[in-house]
Amino acid sequence: MDLAELQEIGEKQRTDRPSIRVRCCTAAGCLSSKSDAIKKSLDTAVKEAGLEKEVEVCSVGCMKFCGRGPLVEVDPVGKIYEMVTPENAPSIISAIKGGKATAIELDRNHPFFTRQKPIVLENIGKIDPEQIEEYIGVGGYQQLYQVINDLPPAEVIEEITKSGLRGRGGAGYPTGLKWATVAKMPPGQKYVVCNADEGDPGAFMDRAVLESDPHRVLEGMAIAGYAIGASEGFIYVRAEYPLAIERLETAIKQAKKYGILGSQIFESTFDFKINIRIGAGAFVCGEETALISSIEGGRGNPRPRPPYPAQEGLWGCPTLINNVETFANIAAILREGAEWYASIGTEKSKGTKVFALTGKVNNNGLIEVPMGITLREIVEEMGGGIPGGEVKAVQTGGPSGGCIPASLLDTTVDYESLARVGSMMGSGGMVVMDGATSMVEVARFYMEFCRGETCGKCVPCRAGTVQMYHTLTKLLKGEATETDLERLKAMCDMVKNTSLCGLGQSAPNPVISTLRYFPEEYLSLLKKESLNGKVAVSS
Amino acid sequence: MQSTEAKTKPKAAKENSKEHPSGDKRLKVLDITMKRAQYRQDALIEVLHKAQESFGFLEEDVLIYVARKLKLPLSRVYGVATFYHLFSLKPSGAHSCVVCLGTACYVKGSGAVLEALENHTGIHQGETTSDGQMSLMTARCLGACGIAPAVVYDGTVAGRQTADEAIEKVKDWLGNH
């Protein structure tokens, strides 16, 4: 297949379909609210009205405003309906021909939508994730074709480096540099791994991308494979995401059929095949060395670095590991150019970031915002604030991150600013908390999580998280003394500085950040007699 | 034990036959999975997933069977089976109820839902009722945060659950509770 044929498939896809498309969200969130029944009901209504030639009902991935789901959008009429039920679905079809829809219409000009800058999410909710032709129809796989035919690997890496893209898994390592490191390793067996083990509680960005636009990730991985000289890739997905796994399998099968994946891609000499590996529920497998060990069929135990996976990864071969969102950015960067991408965001954090905005916030769902936006803009404008109250804190970065108090809501969202206030970008979970939330309770919640998820290989993490959990429980029961509090702080230091991998090194973060911003909550929980009337803590 | 039976399978039995020599169709499913993976040792997790899917849980015999077939030490197979949360070495109930304890669900009250379920059923998370009717479990995060708090009843996710709703849903599953 050449470029003309690829474009023809896309063109055919665009012209052959009915002019009006009714899109029904069938991603996990809406699906659990029976959106498959809505799709059926819409289909029936179209048939009954005899509109098959003009109206097409299609199921698409996430339409972002999950909190108001199930969502149905009528295109190009431009209407989005929220909280649709199978009963009021037919009225949406009759509304196309001048009737009145019983479903509530969602305001398209809501800041939740208008403040977004979709790059990773550009196709999400617009295309059918189970049809490769739809992805090709929006220009998909053209970048892969072009790099294979026109761009030497070194130039692909150069372009990614110039774009300033940093790893979206959380740590923010420069992507171009990572690619260059693996590319520089001696030729031979190399691997590309996509980390889709989204374990952060409160985050569902990767899930949404995989369920709604899987081909985008495959294209990014294939481009990476070409750039670093790898012929095989693995996607490590959580078993908790069955729909994502199913859609990825479909996508790989379709791409193979078109000769876009497999051997001699686009009739070139480049081979690239992608395998899916399913996790089995272990948060630590998000850590790259643990993930490698899990792909190899072992326990997800991390190992010390160096050697880094870029040097010695899967089965001892150089391995490139990037997160889902990182791969999802690649095709767009190559299409629009590195300068374009670098013009978005801040000086050190380029581009956009996808967040899962959830918790006690009016509008929850998936957002993609340019770096440099403030937390206040996200929580108060896009999120619409808290129902009947005020924001107390925003938790970012999951168990590896921290709680940012309301007084720091003007902090901009970029890798450095978030780290400065004691949190981190993380993979992109953003949980809003209100006045009713006890921060010590939240710290204990995360410690309970880490305690259960530690792989147990190194002592500081295995024993430290358990001890910290017990101390926090003691505090909450009102049985702790000043000494316990001091010990808790000492343990934070110890676990942070002596653990083997990222899980342990970041496990104390929720405690450290709540101690820093909400010391009074800890103090008020101390046993009264231990205080002796003096303020003991200065954090 | 199945593993020895497998070795002494009659020559007449074809690979494609629907019956496993042991007469257990579930082992046949497992054999197909392992064969497709070319008995590669790194396919262990995938094989265990399949085993759990067919048997409901990973009983010792199955672990031994998999270890022999993949030529892995049993300690390695056991080590992997016990490391991952999704693998269970104990039989689970006829019905399952999984409460999501992700941060979003937690701040929206999934803790209370779990507590109500524990009180109602008399079992703790991770346990199965004595009549084997229902297992109560928790999940780290389902990634369905938009509809928090979420609970999965027999594989079907339900959003915005309250304690009362959850109890209502599991009531029918319970025998004499």
Side-chain angles (χ1 to χ4, degrees):
Chain A
M1 184 159 57
D2 58 19
L3 189 61
E5 283 173 87
L6 191 70
Q7 281 167 339
E8 200 184 306
I9 295 168
E11 188 56 36
K12 194 168 175 301
Q13 173 62 31
R14 283 192 297 271
T15 50
D16 281 7
R17 66 189 184 200
S19 57
I20 298 172
R21 303 222 309 163
V22 179
R23 302 189 304 223
C24 178
C25 173
T26 49
C30 288
L31 200 58
S32 67
S33 312
K34 312 276 178 297
S35 68
D36 47 347
I38 296 167
K39 160 94 172 36
K40 262 190 209 137
S41 168
L42 288 168
D43 270 328
T44 321
V46 168
K47 254 184 221 141
E48 277 172 7
L51 291 170
E52 287 110 318
K53 287 218 173 85
E54 296 156 71
V55 182
E56 179 193 12
V57 181
C58 64
S59 56
V60 295
C62 185
M63 284 156 78
K64 300 173 189 173
F65 217 148
C66 307
R68 302 273 180 89
L71 300 170
V72 172
E73 185 170 4
V74 184
D75 198 30
V77 183
K79 284 187 173 165
I80 307 179
Y81 299 97
E82 61 176 48
M83 297 187 164
V84 180
T85 59
E87 289 73 40
N88 64 21
S91 72
I92 293 175
I93 302 296
S94 59
I96 297 172
K97 290 284 165 202
K100 181 140 175 50
T102 53
I104 315 157
E105 203 183 322
L106 195 60
D107 180 14
R108 242 177 200 288
N109 298 317
H110 193 285
F112 185 86
F113 291 114
T114 55
R115 295 299 301 256
Q116 301 216 22
K117 168 105 188 130
I119 296 175
V120 169
L121 306 183
E122 60 185 350
N123 301 329
I124 280 176
K126 298 206 171 87
I127 61 167
D128 184 341
E130 293 178 354
Q131 309 278 345
I132 188 172
E133 293 82 6
E134 293 237 337
Y135 181 64
I136 296 173
V138 291
Y141 288 118
Q142 285 194 24
Q143 303 319 309
L144 177 62
Y145 180 88
Q146 255 143 14
V147 296
I148 293 176
N149 287 287
D150 303 329
L151 221 54
E155 280 180 39
V156 178
I157 296 175
E158 174 71 24
E159 196 72 5
I160 299 299
T161 311
K162 271 199 296 188
S163 75
L165 176 67
R166 293 168 69 174
R168 294 294 190 248
Y173 190 78
T175 307
L177 191 58
K178 205 181 217 178
W179 287 28
T181 315
V182 187
K184 266 189 222 131
M185 296 301 288
Q189 184 72 56
K190 291 178 188 178
Y191 295 102
V192 174
V193 173
C194 172
N195 184 348
D197 187 64
E198 184 174 56
D200 275 19
F204 56 94
M205 310 76 49
D206 294 349
R207 171 176 199 151
V209 173
L210 295 172
E211 284 177 355
S212 316
D213 199 3
H215 286 286
R216 189 182 190 84
V217 181
L218 300 185
E219 185 176 7
M221 285 179 74
I223 293 172
Y226 170 79
I228 63 159
S231 59
E232 198 171 354
F234 289 89
I235 304 181
Y236 187 86
V237 205
R238 301 182 74 193
E240 289 90 333
Y241 290 178
L243 186 63
I245 295 167
E246 197 188 305
R247 291 194 173 157
L248 272 173
E249 278 168 351
T250 311
I252 292 174
K253 221 175 272 168
Q254 290 171 344
K256 263 195 208 152
K257 214 168 140 200
Y258 273 113
I260 294 172
L261 281 181
S263 39
Q264 302 185 331
I265 295 177
F266 291 120
E267 289 150 26
S268 71
T269 51
F270 174 56
D271 301 340
F272 194 73
K273 72 169 197 178
I274 295 179
N275 310 297
I276 299 177
R277 282 296 157 101
I278 300 164
F283 178 64
V284 70
C285 287
E287 203 278 339
E288 52 183 15
T289 58
L291 189 149
I292 286 172
S293 153
S294 184
I295 292 183
E296 291 171 354
R299 292 163 70 102
N301 280 341
R303 58 160 175 79
R305 298 173 303 176
Y308 287 91
Q311 302 157 298
E312 273 180 44
L314 262 182
W315 295 289
C317 302
T319 304
L320 171 79
I321 303 187
N322 276 142
N323 166 268
V324 171
E325 199 184 325
T326 315
F327 282 124
N329 267 302
I330 302 299
I333 292 174
L334 292 171
R335 187 184 63 221
E336 306 288 337
E339 285 80 21
W340 164 81
Y341 194 81
S343 70
I344 305 163
T346 67
E347 198 197 330
K348 284 184 176 164
S349 304
K350 304 289 187 195
T352 57
K353 176 79 190 90
V354 184
F355 288 102
L357 182 64
T358 58
K360 293 277 184 68
V361 62
N362 277 315
N363 311 323
N364 69 54
L366 205 61
I367 56 167
E368 181 170 4
V369 288
M371 297 273 194
I373 191 171
T374 63
L375 284 170
R376 190 181 300 285
E377 285 169 298
I378 293 181
V379 176
E380 290 182 357
E381 281 183 44
M382 303 178 78
I386 274 184
E390 278 185 17
V391 180
K392 181 172 183 182
V394 179
Q395 210 281 342
T396 69
S400 318
C403 296
I404 302 166
S407 58
L408 289 174
L409 274 184
D410 290 314
T411 305
T412 54
V413 172
D414 59 78
Y415 291 97
E416 281 73 26
S417 311
L418 288 181
R420 222 174 294 130
V421 297
S423 185
M424 70 181 283
M425 185 76 84
S427 55
M430 196 175 267
V431 185
V432 183
M433 293 164 187
D434 66 357
T437 319
S438 152
M439 301 318 279
V440 184
E441 185 67 52
V442 169
R444 186 176 73 147
F445 166 78
Y446 280 111
M447 205 43 69
E448 201 265 326
F449 180 89
C450 291
R451 180 189 73 154
E453 294 295 330
T454 171
C455 77
K457 186 174 172 175
C458 72
V459 182
C461 179
R462 181 178 69 225
T465 50
V466 173
Q467 291 309 319
M468 287 169 79
Y469 172 78
H470 283 319
T471 313
L472 287 165
T473 309
K474 213 168 154 189
L475 260 164
L476 284 163
K477 278 190 185 158
E479 292 166 2
T481 61
E482 232 177 283
T483 328
D484 289 310
L485 199 56
E486 291 306 319
R487 197 175 290 148
L488 182 68
K489 287 185 197 164
M491 278 192 287
C492 284
D493 263 357
M494 189 269 295
V495 175
K496 195 179 172 72
N497 295 315
T498 57
S499 290
L500 175 63
C501 82
L503 194 157
Q505 287 158 11
S506 60
N509 285 354
V511 184
I512 296 173
S513 73
T514 45
L515 267 169
R516 179 169 162 192
Y517 296 118
F518 305 95
E520 67 287 348
E521 291 199 22
Y522 282 86
L523 282 180
S524 68
L525 287 167
L526 287 182
K527 253 171 145 176
K528 290 286 171 288
E529 64 265 34
S530 79
L531 272 171
N532 288 332
K534 64 180 166 61
V535 176
V537 198
S538 53
S539 279
Chain B
M1 205 178 290
Q2 289 94 329
S3 50
T4 47
E5 281 169 38
K7 276 188 174 173
T8 57
K9 74 175 179 187
K11 275 181 189 162
K14 282 182 197 153
E15 279 294 330
N16 302 341
S17 107
K18 275 185 187 147
E19 282 286 312
H20 187 268
S22 66
D24 193 336
K25 277 187 192 145
R26 298 173 299 179
L27 285 177
K28 180 75 189 168
V29 174
L30 209 50
D31 279 351
I32 293 171
T33 309
M34 288 191 278
K35 197 176 173 206
R36 200 176 290 149
Q38 295 163 342
Y39 299 98
R40 283 177 62 128
Q41 299 182 329
D42 54 74
L44 177 60
I45 295 175
E46 196 189 330
V47 173
L48 291 180
H49 267 304
K50 202 74 198 175
Q52 177 148 313
E53 202 180 285
S54 343
F55 289 84
F57 72 107
L58 300 173
E59 51 185 302
E60 203 181 310
D61 281 355
V62 173
L63 293 180
I64 295 170
Y65 186 72
V66 170
R68 291 253 177 103
K69 283 268 174 173
L70 297 183
K71 297 196 171 62
L72 282 167
L74 180 59
S75 58
R76 164 83 184 276
V77 176
Y78 183 79
V80 169
T82 49
F83 182 84
Y84 295 96
H85 301 300
L86 290 182
F87 294 136
S88 167
L89 274 65
K90 276 185 283 181
S92 51
H95 298 279
S96 73
C97 174
V98 185
V99 181
C100 180
L101 286 186
T103 323
C105 289
Y106 188 76
V107 301
K108 286 190 143 181
S110 66
V113 174
L114 178 66
E115 204 183 313
L117 282 168
E118 285 183 334
N119 287 339
H120 183 79
T121 56
I123 52 170
H124 289 291
Q125 49 166 303
E127 293 176 356
T128 304
T129 51
S130 53
D131 58 0
Q133 279 304 303
M134 177 192 146
S135 295
L136 180 60
M137 283 164 292
T138 54
R140 289 306 188 190
C141 182
L142 298 169
C145 316
I147 49 162
V151 181
V152 192
Y153 304 99
D154 275 346
T156 310
V157 185
R160 302 185 187 92
Q161 293 295 293
T162 60
D164 293 342
E165 271 177 288
I167 289 170
E168 201 53 45
K169 288 244 171 70
V170 302
K171 244 182 195 165
D172 298 339
W173 298 345
L174 302 166
N176 301 321
H177 288 275

